[in-house]
Amino acid sequence: MSMLAEAPLKNATPTDQELIDFVVREARLIDQQRFDEWLDLYANDAFYWMPLEWNQTDPRLTCSLMYEDKLLLSIRVERLKGARTFSQKPKSRCHHVLQTPQVDSRDPTANSYVTWTPMHYIETRMDEQTLFAAWATHHLSVENGRLKIKLKRVDLINCDAAFGNIQLFM
Amino acid sequence: MTRYAGNVAAIRALVRDQEVHRDVYVSEEVFQLEMEHMFPNSWVYVGHDSQVPNPGDYFGTTIGTQPVLLVRHTDGTVKVLHNRCPHKGTRITSETCGNAGKFFRCPYHAWSFRTDGSLLAIPLKKGYENTGFEQSHAASGMAPVRHVRNYRGFVFAKINDGGLDFEEFFGESLSSFDNMIDRSPVGQLKVAGGVLRYMHNCNWKMLVENQTDTCHPMVAHESSAGTVVEVWKKAPPGTKKPMAVEIIAPFMSPYEFFENMGIRIWDNGHGHTGVHHSIHSDYSAVPGYFEKMTAAYGEDRAKAILGENRHNTVYFPNIMIKGPIQLLRHFKPIAANKTLVESWTFQLVDAPDMLLERTLMYNRLINAPTSIVGHDDLEMYERAQEGLHSNGNEWVNLQRLYSPDEAGQTNVAVNGTSEWPMRHQFRAWTKFMTMGM
Ligand code: FES
Ligand SMILES: [Fe+2]
């Protein structure tokens, strides 16, 4: 259970292994549909960003698939629970396969840590199963002895393709 | 089995005053006839000329299911060409958009064409001597779509020679384009922000009808907009309303709001919701914008332009625009049960960036495959596409607020929850389906 519990960091500065465990845990919380716990991993000023364009740099004046602050993320989580959320009757399920996250940068002075994680993500609903390939970039920082997500960026390999509904979180 | 080809009576019988037969949504044969007749007889949106600013620039799209190219010719005019090599049919461009330089060159045998489609050169030309080549279809190059009209940047084309001319086809409905474009202090729009593409397993007409369906938001969107309203209620008093809440919450407006907002009916299937107000009416002001508009147009005219809050304007057959936020949705038919929805956004030239930011946020929150509002709608279309296969009832009801004298009336504003616009779209559908058949 140790990996599942959100353990406080052992020291003020997270180790690479702690960063890796955090990223893996985040994916697991989504797969297990523990969305309230999942939301707790995000800082209050966090963003979840899924670009629409390859190598997109601007989330403001270029459209994205998702660019959501914590309010919008919490609305999504609430919506998934709704009695009249017809597109979730029956519910979607999802599954992540991650490569081992790589620590791209660590800057304790700036309280900023960045990991990079290639992954496959599968979402299913009824008889449909859809596979997505993506790279997740996590920008993390330490708040009150715990890691928090400041920005999660999910770059789909086919970000500009025409998709049907993508309902959960990658 | 063909039931409808060449059978005008059978096609007409699909559309009654108050209901339509399910075959208009589920029959592959009807779909093929739409592609052969209805789309070629109509003025269909191709693209915006800001997508091809320089000579040689091209943009590949479809009219119905036919591939075409929007091209900026060397003389600065915009052409629409059938995207097909006259030799063996190869699609000329490999990417959706780009620049061809001075000429297109087919990747198969290197025939080349000027940017108006005319044949420029063929390798080993000698081999065609004394073959009567000059008389062939191929000798005239890539076929241009002959009827093209650039309306203030928005390019439409009609494939067939018959049918209505541009003014007759659109008439007063062009006022919605005018209002969208006049919102720029210099009266100009530019495609900006990228295009969202969303695949729908349903008939394209379900999307078109939905643009004037004002009885569904508070029901189907309770999941998304309703949740926004609920979550927002819990915000500490005095918190500034975020742009996202301003955008999504009005979808939960009560029936009354939609009844009172009104729908206008024009000729040929066009019309718009939001005669008096709309879900876009209460957005907060963008700093500096009104001042710019006043400087450009004078205060009265600026107020008149920004006072229009048309919600959705449907241009028959397959686009919808939202003037107040400069957004255009293109419902591209692929098969009877498959439609690609492209959502395009525009920048008001010389206006504050925040307007584009809001437009993009709207697009992302409402029209994206990763949105939540869009999920609500697509779920309903796909359920309808399946449910229509039931033999329990072959008819779709469009009866709400029907009045027997409505056919032939035009430019009227009616109750905002009327299904008149849908009946009206189907009258146009029959007209352009059977025109010249
Ligand atoms: S097919 Fe185009 S040149 Fe032969
Ligand atoms: Fe809707």
Side-chain angles (χ1 to χ4, degrees), chain B residues 54-65:
Chain B
N54 304 308
D57 284 351
Y58 63 84
F59 163 64
T61 180
T62 46
I63 295 180
T65 47

Side-chain angles (χ1 to χ4, degrees), chain A residues 57-149:
Chain A
T57 53
D58 180 1
R60 196 170 80 90
L61 299 181
T62 301
C63 200
S64 300
L65 288 160
M66 283 174 77
Y67 185 62
E68 311 232 328
D69 59 12
K70 208 167 173 185
L71 176 74
L72 284 170
L73 289 179
S74 65
I75 285 166
R76 281 182 187 270
V77 167
E78 281 311 303
R79 177 180 176 273
L80 290 173
K81 302 174 189 164
R84 298 214 176 110
T85 303
F86 302 109
S87 74
Q88 283 297 289
K89 286 174 178 294
K91 286 192 179 302
S92 301
R93 292 192 289 264
C94 69
H95 179 267
H96 286 78
V97 180
L98 308 185
Q99 273 186 30
T100 305
Q102 299 169 34
V103 178
D104 273 5
S105 78
R106 46 163 55 256
D107 184 347
T109 331
N111 190 13
S112 162
Y113 307 88
V114 181
T115 63
W116 191 73
T117 315
M119 65 185 192
H120 283 184
Y121 168 86
I122 291 159
E123 199 171 283
T124 72
R125 183 170 173 247
M126 298 192 273
D127 293 343
E128 290 284 323
Q129 176 164 297
T130 316
L131 170 66
F132 300 90
W135 297 273
T137 309
H138 286 75
H139 294 250
L140 306 171
S141 70
V142 179
E143 280 179 19
N144 302 321
R146 289 172 196 272
L147 281 167
K148 292 278 181 188
I149 299 170

